[in-house]
Amino acid sequence: MTKKIAILPGDGIGQEIVAEAVKVIACLKKEFGLDVELEEALVGGSAYDDCGSPLPETTLELAREADAVLLGAVGGYKWESLDIAVRPEKGLLGLRAGLELFANLRPAILYPQLADASTLKAEIVADLDIMIVRELTGGIYFGQPRGIRTLKNGEKEGFNTLVYRESEIRRIGKVAFDIAAKRNNRVCSVDKANVLECTELWREVMTEEARRFPAIELSHMYVDNAAMQLVRAPKQFDVMVTTNMFGDILSDTAAMLTGSIGMLPSASLDENGKGMYEPIHGSAPDIAGQGVANPLATILSVAMMLRYTLDEAEMAERIENAVRKVLDDGLRTQDIYSDGMTKVGTAAMGDAVVTAIRQG
Ligand code: NAD
């Protein structure tokens, strides 16, 4: 049956990079029989300009009825002074909440051709391929009670609540184990079970849940050690699964190991594997409209969509191989450019990926 993809380019470079990802999808449709239809809608600042809301009801409806969502990025200087309730970022948060996307997948992949872009030694990071699975809708970012109160002595006190139910831990564990089964069968669960009871439960439930996945090798690591290990010897990890806050921090650390945010895709999934796919970077207003943005993170987001929602792993590989090929050929957008390489713009990079997919 034809699957529907909601295309939400958003703001800034979002328009330019999503256009290249759409070229890739069109090529897979035409040449390899990918059975999808696309429908585009506004989100973020461009939606606010159009109708006064960063997430129009029609956009949310489209995202709900679609099988997957491809998002560019939202935000920009133009909308920074707006009331917080209608800022472009609210569009993104509204989509995540409206679609109940509880699992955030953040791969940190460093292509050997770009190993010099990392601040770490090339031998530590070349060929890095980690998947961080972050719980996205629970934990301390959402726990109640929360707030700032004034104590009897007049001093103020801020407080938040770290809370996870067994079912929440189990479902994010299942996502991580399923993903590891498609990779190298290893999951490292990151917690702070020596100090926080909530993550003591996290560890217990992960261990229980892992019994349903006998092929998976589960290990546990305290978050402080995980932060150290990520910069000391990151290639030891396959899949890491962790809480909302720990995942927020560790996924950004892992992203920086690769040295280029223009290369990294991400996914947020719901209970049924439906997902929103987007590059990890923002709308880059400083370079928007210049045709120089790197479209590879968005193109690789399409590969994730094919693998995790559309069940088309072979087509995902076609995209990933094509990206490797263009890097091998020395093509670089300005953010990943180094001496001796060929500098290209956004559209030329997209075209080169399409050609490489065709040539397979
Ligand atoms: P950013 O990721 O947009 O840009 C950071 C730096 O990286 C900039 O110098 C930019 O030019 C560069 N960069 C980013 N993506 C690139 C690409 N594909 N190719 C080449 N260079 C690239 O982060 P920022 O500057 O902190 O934020 C800009 C706007 O984006 C803000 O409005 C912010 O709120 C928004 N934002 C949106 C998202 C999202 O939509 N998911 C995420 C982060 C930031």
Side-chain angles (χ1 to χ4, degrees):
M1 208 178 73
T2 307
K3 299 271 174 64
K4 186 169 201 170
I5 306 176
I7 303 285
L8 312 180
D11 310 317
I13 60 167
Q15 303 284 340
E16 301 158 54
I17 54 181
V18 167
E20 300 313 310
V22 167
K23 276 186 198 168
V24 167
I25 296 171
C27 166
L28 291 173
K29 273 181 77 165
K30 185 156 169 254
E31 315 256 336
F32 300 98
L34 177 65
D35 191 10
V36 293
E37 56 172 326
L38 312 185
E39 191 174 332
E40 195 171 317
L42 294 173
V43 70
S46 49
Y48 174 82
D49 288 348
D50 185 65
C51 68
S53 162
L55 182 58
E57 196 47 45
T58 47
T59 300
L60 184 57
E61 259 321 296
L62 170 66
R64 280 205 176 110
E65 70 170 57
D67 296 283
V69 178
L70 181 68
L71 182 99
V74 298
Y77 310 133
K78 186 177 168 192
W79 302 285
E80 272 169 11
S81 55
L82 286 180
D83 186 86
I84 194 144
V86 288
R87 290 241 186 101
E89 293 72 14
K90 281 280 172 201
L92 194 58
L93 298 177
L95 278 168
R96 285 184 185 151
L99 301 178
E100 296 178 46
L101 305 172
F102 72 92
N104 188 220
L105 277 46
R106 289 268 302 255
I109 296 172
L110 182 53
Y111 296 90
Q113 302 92 326
L114 302 178
D116 288 337
S118 175
T119 48
L120 269 70
K121 290 191 199 107
E123 69 264 26
I124 304 282
V125 287
D127 279 321
L128 180 78
D129 184 355
I130 307 176
M131 175 70 84
I132 298 192
V133 178
R134 165 189 170 194
E135 201 290 326
L136 201 58
T137 51
I140 197 162
Y141 291 177
F142 293 93
Q144 295 287 348
R146 59 193 294 157
I148 300 172
R149 61 192 163 207
T150 306
L151 301 175
K152 280 195 184 112
N153 67 1
E155 192 185 4
K156 280 188 182 166
E157 179 181 70
F159 58 100
N160 289 87
T161 305
L162 172 60
V163 54
Y164 271 114
R165 289 190 308 276
E166 271 186 277
S167 54
E168 288 175 292
I169 304 170
R170 224 174 273 291
R171 70 177 183 176
I172 193 74
K174 181 178 182 309
V175 170
F177 298 136
D178 279 340
I179 288 171
K182 292 182 182 172
R183 294 169 49 100
N184 296 313
N185 288 315
R186 289 186 295 117
V187 174
C188 177
S189 170
V190 177
D191 61 43
K192 189 74 181 169
N194 51 341
V195 179
L196 302 170
E197 287 82 354
C198 179
T199 67
E200 199 183 321
L201 178 70
W202 177 280
R203 188 175 282 219
E204 229 177 87
V205 175
M206 280 294 165
T207 307
E208 261 173 47
E209 185 66 12
R211 293 201 188 104
R212 300 203 305 116
F213 297 82
I216 303 293
E217 182 194 315
L218 173 68
S219 60
H220 303 275
M221 197 178 274
Y222 296 138
V223 64
D224 42 346
N225 187 23
M228 281 198 291
Q229 297 300 329
L230 264 180
V231 287
R232 192 188 71 84
K235 283 192 259 181
Q236 69 184 281
F237 297 111
D238 177 17
V239 175
M240 299 173 94
V241 61
T242 191
T243 64
N244 201 343
M245 182 161 74
F246 295 162
D248 190 4
I249 299 163
L250 294 180
S251 61
D252 271 10
T253 306
M256 275 304 106
L257 296 176
T258 73
S260 171
I261 57 172
M263 294 294 301
L264 293 178
S266 77
S268 304
L269 303 181
D270 77 359
E271 204 114 23
N272 305 312
K274 170 176 174 161
M276 182 159 88
Y277 295 82
E278 55 184 312
I280 68 156
H281 58 71
S283 58
D286 53 334
I287 56 166
Q290 297 173 21
V292 296
N294 187 346
L296 293 179
T298 316
I299 289 172
L300 289 166
S301 299
V302 175
M304 284 189 86
M305 177 188 291
L306 289 164
R307 181 167 285 120
Y308 295 115
T309 294
L310 302 179
D311 220 8
E312 295 281 3
E314 194 238 333
M315 290 205 213
E317 259 167 53
R318 280 184 196 280
I319 296 180
E320 289 157 355
N321 290 340
V323 168
R324 271 186 215 107
K325 166 85 168 54
V326 300
L327 294 175
D328 274 341
D329 290 347
L331 300 190
R332 302 283 188 273
T333 43
Q334 67 173 23
D335 56 310
I336 51 172
Y337 177 76
S338 58
D339 284 347
M341 298 294 132
T342 307
K343 197 184 278 189
V344 295
T346 311
M349 186 59 108
D351 290 342
V353 173
V354 168
T355 304
I357 291 173
R358 273 205 196 106
Q359 290 168 351

